[in-house]
Amino acid sequence: MKLSKNFTNPLAANNPVIVQILGICSALAVTVKLEPAFVMGLSVTFVTAFSNLVMSLLRNGVPSRIRIIVQLVVIATLVIVVDQFLRAYMYDVSKQLSVYVGLIITNCIVMGRVEAFALGNKPWDAFVDGVANGLGYAFILVLVAFFRELFGSGTLFGFDVIARFGYVNNSLMLFPPMALIIVGVIIWVHRSINKDLQEK
Amino acid sequence: MAINKNSNLYIITYTVVMVVIVGALLAFLATSLKGKQDANVLNEQKVSIMRAFGEAEANFDEVVTIGRLTAGEFTEVVDEAVVAEVFDMLGNRKALSEAEDNLPIFKMEKDGATKFVLPIVGKGLWGDIWGYVSLLQTTDNVEITGIVMDHAGETPGLGAEIATDKVQSTFEGKKLYNAEGNFAVRMQKGGAQNEHQVDAITGGTKTCDGVNAMLATSIGKYESFLRATETAAEADVEECCDCGECSEEAIVEPINVEEE
């Protein structure tokens, strides 16, 4: 029961992007096309899941004075692993993501979950929490990228969808501010459904 | 005996052990994936060159002669170490922009015509721009047959348009040198006005300026070579007809600049 709540909570009711407003920077930057957004989402999921797992395993041995440094080393290592694998096996996507893969290190979701959850919970719970938060982030990224690619380039995953019906691409969709607006709209919709999130 | 986890000794030991483990892990990973990553980079360079040639489907290794321009002479590069040097240079934009000799050049012969591809590097508005241009020597001029360009961070929808086929295709058929013999290809604000110019991108003026500078400097380094072969081609023509009509015609004929 607790485990499933751990998993579903970050996906909707307590989504890291649209409720906690974390990880916005990369959400704006890599959502021009679906493919990089998708890969970025999976990369972040990998990093949150395994940094949570590793930190949870280490939680009883880490000296509290260098806790943050240890977290950074673990997260940075995982990010480099992801970056190296993308360069080797998904070269095109890794070029599109450019610096944003490296910037996963600074993504507040990752360190936030390690600090807030992994250090006080058992490895399996921490791992599930990491996966769920990563997927919560990935879901928003893919959603934003869906609208931006569809209306900005007329394609989905590179396949021509509406351009063939005479749709003229709206290049405004390709600019970062448009991602902010879409995220804003998603937050709006989300809060009008979850009324308890509305601030009085 | 309980370990004091806040003692300096424990912290230092912990840090050292952690760093050694992580370092070893990353070193192993980097070494084992390096071959694959290098192959990706090399493949991308070859694909870009083939796209510049307009033969995206053809196999680079089968049809292209890798060469270097040493002291103004085309020298074919066969030795593997030197080939690696050439591709290293393509991947190093700084070295490429500073190079004065041993310039990379690629040759492809097809249907009796010889095309050359040169690397081009320059600065856009926000960062580096680079690419490859394919050139064909005609009887009295040098013609662009294809160009591919890429950029590090130009503005999407404006300067970044230089990386699109739409912009790149407008360069096709442009002649490098004007009647005075000066390099004349440029992205012209307000629209192309002659057979040398290409429409500039509205809102991307600074990037277009960068492209102009990039073309002039990068192709400029090869000018003596391009000109030398061009003169040779011209001499051939004069043997066949002394009237000079051919060259005049070539200048007058292709005024098919589309008005937008």
Side-chain angles (χ1 to χ4, degrees):
Chain A
M1 176 62 201
K2 188 180 160 250
L3 199 63
S4 66
K5 200 156 177 257
N6 269 351
F7 187 77
T8 50
N9 231 359
L11 289 179
N14 198 16
N15 187 289
V17 183
I18 59 174
V19 177
Q20 300 169 28
I21 320 291
L22 298 175
I24 290 287
C25 164
S26 51
L28 305 190
V30 300
T31 51
V32 174
K33 292 252 154 69
L34 266 171
E35 194 188 7
F38 192 72
V39 174
M40 182 73 177
L42 289 184
S43 306
V44 170
T45 307
F46 172 83
V47 175
T48 49
F50 284 92
S51 62
N52 265 10
L53 178 67
V54 172
M55 285 314 296
S56 177
L57 287 169
L58 295 177
R59 73 187 188 282
N60 294 322
V62 179
S64 57
R65 273 155 65 192
I66 57 163
R67 188 181 79 243
I68 302 284
I69 300 175
V70 175
Q71 291 171 13
L72 267 181
V73 171
V74 170
I75 295 168
T77 309
L78 289 166
V79 169
I80 295 172
V81 169
V82 169
D83 190 30
Q84 295 286 324
F85 267 98
L86 288 183
R87 275 171 208 239
Y89 296 102
M90 301 186 80
Y91 185 66
D92 287 338
V93 177
S94 107
K95 270 202 322 181
Q96 290 177 47
L97 290 174
S98 66
V99 298
Y100 293 99
V101 175
L103 285 177
I104 295 176
I105 297 171
T106 64
N107 192 320
C108 307
I109 298 170
V110 184
M111 213 160 177
R113 289 328 290 173
V114 169
E115 253 317 89
F117 197 89
L119 287 178
N121 285 282
K122 294 210 174 88
W124 176 245
D125 288 341
F127 183 76
V128 170
D129 179 77
V131 172
N133 274 282
L135 290 179
Y137 168 86
F139 173 65
I140 300 299
L141 239 67
V142 168
L143 197 60
V144 175
F146 173 83
F147 288 113
R148 289 182 76 189
E149 182 173 349
L150 186 65
F151 295 115
S153 315
T155 58
L156 286 176
F157 278 107
F159 293 108
D160 182 352
V161 178
I162 52 172
R164 71 181 74 195
F165 302 118
Y167 175 76
V168 179
N169 294 336
N170 180 354
S171 53
L172 188 64
M173 295 300 280
L174 302 176
F175 288 91
M178 207 57 209
L180 195 64
I181 293 171
I182 296 175
V183 171
V185 171
I186 295 173
I187 293 176
W188 178 23
V189 171
H190 185 254
R191 292 205 174 186
S192 58
I193 297 170
N194 299 280
K195 292 212 165 30
D196 54 317
L197 288 171
Q198 291 174 8
E199 285 152 24
K200 292 282 175 324
Chain B
M1 190 191 83
I3 303 167
N4 177 5
K5 278 194 280 179
N6 281 318
S7 73
N8 288 344
L9 182 67
Y10 180 79
I11 289 178
I12 292 171
T13 320
Y14 194 96
T15 320
V16 170
V17 170
M18 177 180 71
V19 168
V20 168
I21 293 175
V22 166
L25 181 81
L26 290 183
F28 171 75
L29 188 75
T31 341
S32 45
L33 291 177
K34 187 150 195 329
K36 185 93 183 148
Q37 293 170 353
D38 289 350
N40 282 336
V41 174
L42 184 65
N43 184 48
E44 192 204 11
Q45 290 168 339
K46 289 180 176 176
V47 168
S48 299
I49 292 170
M50 291 321 292
R51 276 180 49 217
F53 272 127
E55 301 278 337
E57 302 303 313
N59 185 342
F60 179 95
D61 299 308
E62 284 168 12
V63 292
V64 174
T65 315
I66 303 165
R68 286 211 289 199
L69 210 60
T70 311
E73 291 287 323
F74 180 90
T75 348
E76 189 179 340
V77 172
V78 198
D79 187 54
E80 257 180 52
V82 191
V83 170
E85 245 176 65
V86 170
F87 281 104
D88 275 351
M89 196 175 200
L90 292 183
N92 184 343
R93 295 196 284 274
K94 190 161 182 287
L96 202 57
S97 62
E98 285 166 3
E100 294 296 333
D101 202 13
N102 288 332
L103 307 162
I105 182 166
F106 301 88
K107 184 164 87 168
M108 186 177 75
E109 285 171 27
K110 200 188 176 203
D111 307 330
T114 309
K115 289 190 206 169
F116 292 98
V117 159
L118 326 174
I120 46 180
V121 278
K123 297 263 179 233
L125 172 60
W126 302 115
D128 286 352
I129 50 176
W130 63 91
Y132 298 92
V133 58
S134 157
L135 300 171
L136 174 72
Q137 287 152 331
T138 55
T139 47
D140 64 332
N141 213 322
V142 182
E143 200 178 290
I144 296 180
T145 59
I147 191 167
V148 289
M149 289 186 282
D150 208 346
H151 62 95
E154 299 308 300
T155 319
L158 303 174
E161 293 291 300
I162 60 166
T164 60
D165 287 341
K166 195 179 130 204
V167 168
Q168 290 170 8
S169 61
T170 58
F171 280 87
E172 281 164 28
K174 298 297 167 188
K175 303 205 176 340
L176 291 194
Y177 303 108
N178 62 15
E180 287 82 47
N182 297 321
F183 185 85
V185 173
R186 51 176 288 117
M187 300 186 81
Q188 180 67 35
K189 209 174 166 176
Q193 278 152 15
N194 53 41
E195 54 182 344
H196 312 291
Q197 295 178 345
V198 176
D199 292 347
I201 302 161
T202 312
T205 309
K206 286 284 171 194
T207 307
C208 293
D209 289 348
V211 170
N212 293 340
M214 165 170 82
L215 291 174
T217 345
S218 300
I219 299 179
K221 289 181 188 176
Y222 295 83
E223 185 171 346
S224 59
F225 169 74
L226 295 170
R227 284 294 177 91
T229 1
E230 175 202 317
T231 339
E234 203 168 8
D236 286 348
V237 171
E238 272 170 27
E239 272 172 36
C240 77
C241 75
D242 287 333
C243 57
E245 259 175 36
C246 307
S247 51
E248 258 172 50
E249 252 176 289
I251 295 171
V252 181
E253 182 201 7
I255 304 182
N256 51 356
V257 184
E258 283 178 34
E259 292 289 330
E260 288 203 39

